[in-house]
């Protein structure tokens, strides 16, 4: 009996729970995602689920798991300038990475700084926006920073040094090194060797990036600038400063720090900002910054007693509004005249509700322009569907407004009060 156990231990030297593999699959399935280089979809993987999960468990437990190349997909940058490469692992590899993450993340998560918000359990982008809003009221100056190509440029050796600091578990170290070195594969089959970075799109990448920046930035700030508050969400962040000179000195020091760690601050997205308001009236060329889809800038507000003043607060950014309007146009609702208004609501309402839940959290009136655009799209659908409304946009808007008056629950933005005029 003991001989059998010893042989089994030699065959599978790493203790990995089959239950964790199953839970990892459930997580990958819930997150959806595209196929990797093998073109195997989630549905294809699930057809032979038991066998596929067993293979992953058996190979990871034995030390023989080797990740396939990562599918490289070039997507346009939001700025419109150039492209960035998204790495899409195969479904089986996403399951394996999720297994690794479920073991490794609990080892590092308790050590992370409380003001690191990106990709962390129990923390959200809205939490980061809220804490930044409050600190902008307290501090006059902000150093906004962005790390240029973080996921593409993380140094392998420095990253592995941080991983080894938190675990001696051989299989955790073995597989993270294999994932880091797995080549990119383009759609034409060309393999591209990787010597740095961790693929943006990989399951393990967010926790690895957070771990790297924990040492590069978070702990460095705590050690060298303990009196300054900061908020970091992955590679974007803000530091609150008391004076302009303090912000300038910090910017110079940060540039040096990132150079030492083989990273670079984005020259155009790293700026000093003055938090101008009724109580701060200096002239300064930069009085706004974008963070997590919100623009922080001076905005009109009213006190409880009704008196007006200027505050420095977040509202949905122009870029985020443009993205939402472009997405709503891509629905091509005006061509779906075979659908009823109720059917259209079932299609678009979950998306619109997500926009509202996020962007209406702060200064919701900044979102109204984008939501009103949806009413125009719906009116154009009505113009195509009903002969009596063709070519009559104003009449179609009135018709839609009457429906909104009778059925305000039909669309989330109608519930918010953004409705077409009924008459």
């Amino acid at each position: 009996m003991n001989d059998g156990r010893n042989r089994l231990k030699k065959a599978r030297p790493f203790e990995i729970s089959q239950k964790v593999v199953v839970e990892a699959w459930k997580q990958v399935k819930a997150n959806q995602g595209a196929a990797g280089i093998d073109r195997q979809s989630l549905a294809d993987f699930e057809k032979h689920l038991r066998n596929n999960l067993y293979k992953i468990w058996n190979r990871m437990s034995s030390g023989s798991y080797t990740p396939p190349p990562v599918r490289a997909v070039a997507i346009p940058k939001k700025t419109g300038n150039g492209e960035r490469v998204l790495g899409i692992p195969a479904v089986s590899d996403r399951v394996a990475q999720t297994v690794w993450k479920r073991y490794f993340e609990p080892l590092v998560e308790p050590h992370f700084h409380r003001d690191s918000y990106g990709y962390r359990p129990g923390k959200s982008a809205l939490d980061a926006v809220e804490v930044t809003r409050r600190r902008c009221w307290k501090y006059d100056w902000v150093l906004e920073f962005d790390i240029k190509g973080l996921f593409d440029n993380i140094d392998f050796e420095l990253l592995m040094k941080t991983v080894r600091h938190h675990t001696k578990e051989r299989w955790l170290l073995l597989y993270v090194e294999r994932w880091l070195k797995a080549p990119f594969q383009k759609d034409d089959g060309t393999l591209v060797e990787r010597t740095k970075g961790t693929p943006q799109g990989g399951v393990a990448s967010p926790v690895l990036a957070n771990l790297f920046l924990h040492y590069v930035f978070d702990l460095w700030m705590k050690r060298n600038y303990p009196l300054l508050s900061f908020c970091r969400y992955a590679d974007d962040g803000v530091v609150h400063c008391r004076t302009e000179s303090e912000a300038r000195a910090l910017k110079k020091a940060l540039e040096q720090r990132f150079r030492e760690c083989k990273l670079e601050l984005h020259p155009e997205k790293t700026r000093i900002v003055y938090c101008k308001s009724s109580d701060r009236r200096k002239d300064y060329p930069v009085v706004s910054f974008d963070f997590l889809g919100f623009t922080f800038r001076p905005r009109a507000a009213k006190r409880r007693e009704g008196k007006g003043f200027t505050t420095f607060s977040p509202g949905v950014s122009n870029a985020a509004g443009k993205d939402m309007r472009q997405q709503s146009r891509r629905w091509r609702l005006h061509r779906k005249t075979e659908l009823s208004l109720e059917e259209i609501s079932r299609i678009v309402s979950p998306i619109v509700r997500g926009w509202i839940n996020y962007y209406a959290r702060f200064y919701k009136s900044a979102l109204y322009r984008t939501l009103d655009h949806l009413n125009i799209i719906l009116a154009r659908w009505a113009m195509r569907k009903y002969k009596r409304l063709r070519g009559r946009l104003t009449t179609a808007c009135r018709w839609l407004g009457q429906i909104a008056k009778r059925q305000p629950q039909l669309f989330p933005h109608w519930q918010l009060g953004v409705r077409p005029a009924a008459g």
Side-chain angles (χ1 to χ4, degrees):
M1 183 70 74
N2 287 336
D3 288 343
R5 286 178 181 171
N6 289 336
R7 283 197 299 271
L8 186 62
K9 191 170 182 65
K10 288 180 180 178
R12 298 195 188 96
F14 304 135
E15 293 185 10
I16 299 172
S17 166
Q18 290 183 329
K19 182 180 178 181
V20 172
V21 177
V22 173
E23 292 300 317
W25 155 249
K26 291 178 180 177
Q27 188 173 337
V28 168
K29 183 181 178 182
N31 290 337
Q32 294 298 302
I37 60 161
D38 57 4
R39 303 295 177 180
Q40 184 183 49
S41 67
L42 289 164
D44 294 334
F45 186 91
E46 197 167 19
K47 287 177 183 176
H48 307 284
L49 181 61
R50 187 182 182 91
N51 187 47
N52 286 332
L53 294 183
Y54 177 81
K55 284 181 182 177
I56 293 170
W57 171 79
N58 187 47
R59 291 171 183 173
M60 292 189 77
S61 297
S62 65
S64 63
Y65 179 79
T66 301
V70 179
R71 182 183 167 201
V73 178
I75 59 174
K77 292 183 178 180
K78 287 185 177 181
T79 59
N81 299 323
E83 296 177 328
R84 63 185 178 93
V85 177
L86 186 67
I88 304 178
V91 173
S92 58
D93 199 41
R94 295 209 294 273
V95 175
Q97 288 191 40
T98 304
V99 171
W100 180 90
K101 182 182 176 183
R102 291 174 78 94
Y103 279 94
F104 182 72
E105 188 173 53
L107 300 178
V108 296
E109 175 62 29
H111 299 280
F112 286 165
H113 196 281
R114 63 185 177 89
D115 282 320
S116 165
Y117 287 85
Y119 314 118
R120 293 186 61 192
K123 289 179 176 284
S124 71
L126 286 177
D127 293 334
V129 175
E130 170 61 34
V131 74
T132 300
R133 180 178 73 147
R134 286 191 272 107
R135 287 170 178 169
C136 283
W137 295 340
K138 183 177 179 182
Y139 295 92
D140 290 10
W141 297 87
V142 159
L143 174 62
E144 170 196 15
F145 71 89
D146 177 273
I147 303 166
K148 189 175 181 180
L150 170 67
F151 287 92
D152 297 330
N153 293 303
I154 291 177
D155 182 81
F156 281 176
E157 288 305 315
L158 290 178
L159 176 58
M160 285 306 303
K161 184 178 179 180
T162 67
V163 175
R164 293 188 194 100
H165 182 72
H166 289 275
T167 183
K168 301 292 187 260
E169 188 69 52
R170 284 195 303 136
W171 73 271
L172 290 175
L173 297 171
L174 174 69
Y175 293 134
V176 72
E177 284 198 85
R178 289 181 181 177
W179 279 312
L180 289 175
K181 295 177 181 177
F184 276 141
Q185 182 170 321
K186 298 180 180 180
D187 285 340
D188 64 2
T190 305
L191 289 177
V192 180
E193 183 183 2
R194 294 177 46 248
T195 58
K196 59 181 179 179
T198 176
Q200 191 166 0
V203 176
S205 295
V207 68
L208 290 174
N210 262 341
L211 179 63
F212 192 70
L213 290 181
H214 173 70
Y215 288 98
V216 172
F217 176 77
D218 300 352
L219 285 187
W220 181 85
M221 282 292 298
K222 184 178 179 181
R223 184 170 61 249
N224 293 282
Y225 298 90
L227 299 181
L228 298 187
S229 298
F230 69 85
C231 178
R232 181 178 63 79
Y233 195 98
D235 54 350
D236 292 330
V238 295
V239 184
H240 301 270
C241 301
R242 293 160 293 194
T243 64
E244 182 185 1
S245 60
E246 186 174 58
R248 289 189 181 281
L250 175 62
K251 182 173 181 288
K252 187 175 181 180
L254 266 184
E255 289 169 344
Q256 177 63 28
R257 171 61 177 172
F258 280 103
R259 275 196 299 270
E260 291 170 353
C261 299
K262 303 183 182 181
L263 290 174
E264 180 185 355
L265 288 180
H266 197 293
E268 297 174 4
K269 297 180 181 179
T270 301
R271 307 180 303 164
I272 295 170
V273 181
Y274 180 53
C275 302
K276 195 167 187 175
S277 66
S278 292
D279 300 325
R280 301 162 177 160
R281 301 186 180 185
K282 290 181 181 179
D283 287 328
Y284 194 75
V286 184
V287 292
S288 70
F289 67 92
D290 284 5
F291 186 46
L292 301 176
F294 290 88
T295 296
F296 287 73
R297 65 172 179 83
R299 297 180 187 275
K302 283 189 177 181
R303 304 188 192 279
R304 290 181 180 177
E305 63 272 17
K307 185 178 179 181
F309 71 106
T310 300
T311 183
F312 192 87
S313 291
V316 61
S317 69
N318 289 336
K322 182 180 179 180
D323 285 345
M324 286 183 278
R325 291 191 294 275
Q326 287 177 339
Q327 183 177 348
S328 62
R329 284 194 290 270
R330 287 195 295 268
W331 296 335
R332 299 186 177 276
L333 294 181
H334 64 286
R335 295 187 178 181
K336 299 179 179 179
T337 53
E338 76 281 4
L339 300 178
S340 67
L341 200 57
E342 288 74 16
E343 288 171 325
I344 288 177
S345 173
R346 284 195 288 272
I347 293 170
V348 308
S349 286
I351 301 169
V352 176
R353 190 173 293 111
W355 293 347
I356 292 172
N357 288 343
Y358 187 79
Y359 291 109
R361 175 80 169 267
F362 305 102
Y363 213 84
K364 65 182 179 182
S365 61
L367 185 61
Y368 289 170
R369 178 191 167 203
T370 296
L371 297 179
D372 198 46
H373 182 72
L374 295 177
N375 291 328
I376 299 298
I377 288 175
L378 292 172
R380 293 192 185 282
W381 165 85
M383 289 168 61
R384 290 281 292 263
K385 185 174 179 70
Y386 301 108
K387 289 183 179 180
R388 70 181 188 276
L389 298 177
R390 287 191 183 159
R392 305 171 68 185
L393 180 59
T394 301
T395 304
C397 286
R398 289 199 193 104
W399 173 84
L400 199 64
Q402 290 168 359
I403 295 176
K405 192 174 181 179
R406 293 194 306 268
Q407 298 176 264
Q409 303 301 312
L410 193 56
F411 289 93
H413 63 295
W414 289 1
Q415 297 173 38
L416 193 66
V418 184
R419 306 171 193 166

